């Protein structure tokens, strides 16, 4: 069932667990994540960056693919299609195409401009039953060619944005996209506690889920994080499994060149990764 994230994340916050946002890149990714969510009876959020949206042939193609799979695969758990790090125009286009949730990332604007644009988009989103994630304090690392510095968000600014009526809030707490460098200082839990206190009961979002140690993930959930985004880890698992298939020469045996066979080990690797995250986040059985 395609739903917004509002109810699923309010429940997660109250129940002290988090729902995973797993970014999709193609049909295999989408099917692997949906089947795992159903098997685990876990709610799930399919993340789509603007780059991935272009890659897959546009937002309408994605909505059609996901809706078709929900029906064909008998998926009964709550599923959201969520625009990841949307621009203003991207958010408009994703809503138009039928996304059930959008992120508007205005973190690189001065706070007044972030507030003005977020206000306009949240009103439009809610008139369509779509949920909106806002961001304060840019997440570090690289995403679709945009490099953020890994800022720590100001709790007062977080409260200003939370008070606009957004559904969920991503706040930078030293997290970054992609692999963490060896000298990473870890998540800033003092900042997270202050942001959580200032914005409660708003469910908070932790970006850059790849490579954050398990104890930090659990502590972040205990401090109000209800949505955790994972992208790179599925990509690494997929790439390693695909590499093994080719290096083992499996594509040269019989019909091993069939794309459905070549991609199968990668799909299994994504399923395992997603299941592991759902266990860690505590969302299994919560659908
Ligand atoms: P990772 O690629 O580090 O898992 O981050 C994903 C993310 O935050 C998407 O918005």
């Amino acid at each position: 069932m395609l739903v917004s994230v509002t109810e699923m994340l309010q429940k997660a916050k109250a129940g002290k667990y988090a729902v995973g946002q797993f970014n999709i890149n193609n049909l295999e990714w989408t099917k692997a994540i949906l089947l795992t969510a159903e098997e685990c009876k876990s709610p799930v959020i399919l993340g789509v960056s603007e780059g991935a949206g272009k890659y897959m042939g546009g937002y309408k193609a994605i909505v059609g693919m996901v809706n078709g799979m929900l029906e064909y695969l008998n998926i009964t758990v709550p599923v959201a299609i969520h625009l990841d790090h949307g621009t203003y125009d991207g958010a408009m286009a994703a809503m138009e195409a039928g996304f059930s949730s959008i992120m508007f990332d205005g973190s690189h604007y001065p706070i007044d401009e972030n507030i003005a644009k977020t206000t306009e988009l949240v009103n439009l989103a809610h008139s369509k039953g779509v949920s909106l994630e806002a961001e304060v304090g840019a997440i570090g690392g690289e995403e679709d060619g945009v490099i953020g510095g890994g800022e720590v968000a100001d709790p007062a600014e977080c409260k200003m944005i939370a008070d606009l009526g957004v559904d969920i809030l991503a706040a930078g707490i030293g997290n970054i996209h992609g692999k963490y460098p060896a000298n990473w200082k870890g998540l800033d839990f003092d900042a997270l506690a202050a942001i959580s206190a200032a914005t409660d009961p708003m469910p908070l979002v932790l970006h850059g889920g790849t490579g954050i140690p398990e104890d930090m993930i659990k502590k972040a959930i205990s401090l109000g994080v209800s949505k955790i985004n994972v992208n790179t880890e599925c990509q690494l698992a997929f790439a390693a499994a695909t590499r093994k298939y080719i290096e083992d020469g499996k594509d040269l045996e019989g019909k091993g060149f069939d794309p459905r066979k070549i991609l199968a080990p990668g799909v299994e690797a994504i399923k395992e990764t997603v299941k592991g995250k759902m266990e860690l986040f505590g969302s299994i059985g919560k659908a």
Side-chain angles (χ1 to χ4, degrees):
M1 208 184 10
L2 203 57
V3 295
S4 83
V5 302
T6 311
E7 195 189 324
M8 77 163 83
L9 294 183
Q10 282 171 357
K11 274 192 198 162
K13 170 115 191 202
K16 294 243 178 243
Y17 61 92
V19 177
Q21 172 192 305
F22 301 98
N23 286 50
I24 57 171
N25 293 289
N26 60 17
L27 180 146
E28 280 73 19
W29 244 261
T30 311
K31 197 163 83 172
I33 296 164
L34 289 178
L35 287 173
T36 308
E38 184 65 29
E39 183 196 315
C40 295
K41 292 285 169 261
S42 168
V44 74
I45 300 163
L46 303 174
V48 179
S49 68
E50 294 201 358
K54 284 198 192 102
Y55 177 81
M56 287 187 271
Y59 300 137
K60 282 191 185 152
I62 296 166
V63 172
M65 172 177 70
V66 172
N67 274 324
M69 280 192 196
L70 293 183
E71 188 184 321
Y72 182 77
L73 300 172
N74 294 315
I75 305 295
T76 62
V77 299
V79 176
I81 314 181
H82 179 82
L83 180 69
D84 192 25
H85 292 283
T87 58
Y88 180 89
D89 291 344
M92 289 289 199
M95 275 193 271
E96 186 62 37
F99 274 43
S100 62
S101 188
I102 52 168
M103 173 182 190
F104 169 61
D105 181 355
S107 62
H108 47 287
Y109 291 117
I111 187 70
D112 291 348
E113 204 173 342
N114 191 356
I115 287 176
K117 289 192 161 70
T118 301
T119 304
E120 193 186 327
L121 285 166
V122 78
N123 291 335
L124 185 62
H126 286 174
S127 75
K128 294 171 178 282
V130 170
S131 47
L132 184 129
E133 173 180 342
E135 178 171 325
V136 180
I139 314 295
E142 190 195 328
E143 175 121 319
D144 276 350
V146 179
I147 315 269
E151 295 168 13
V152 173
D154 171 13
E157 289 190 357
C158 290
K159 175 153 174 55
M160 280 194 259
I161 296 277
D163 286 349
L164 301 177
V166 305
D167 301 277
I168 50 175
L169 182 70
I173 52 166
N175 45 327
I176 61 170
H177 294 121
K179 290 181 182 176
Y180 285 85
N183 63 354
W184 180 52
K185 293 197 286 288
L187 297 177
D188 185 337
F189 288 112
D190 291 341
L192 178 56
I195 292 162
S196 201
T199 59
D200 193 63
M202 171 84 38
L204 300 175
V205 184
L206 182 64
H207 282 248
T210 296
I212 298 179
E214 296 198 356
D215 57 330
M216 285 194 201
I217 293 280
K218 289 198 169 135
K219 188 159 177 193
I221 294 172
S222 76
L223 289 169
V225 163
S226 314
K227 170 175 177 278
I228 302 177
N229 293 6
V230 178
N231 182 21
T232 306
E233 207 158 321
C234 288
Q235 297 185 352
L236 291 169
F238 177 86
T242 309
R243 166 182 290 276
K244 184 168 185 326
Y245 182 88
I246 300 291
E247 283 186 348
D248 288 350
K250 295 268 176 55
D251 58 316
L252 302 173
E253 290 169 14
K255 286 265 178 86
F257 57 83
D258 178 340
R260 285 176 267 170
K261 291 203 165 72
I262 294 178
L263 296 174
V267 166
E268 286 310 308
I270 294 171
K271 284 185 181 167
E272 259 174 53
T273 306
V274 169
K275 191 172 179 180
K277 294 297 170 196
M278 288 176 167
E279 276 163 5
L280 174 62
F281 301 165
S283 70
I284 290 189
K286 305 291 190 191

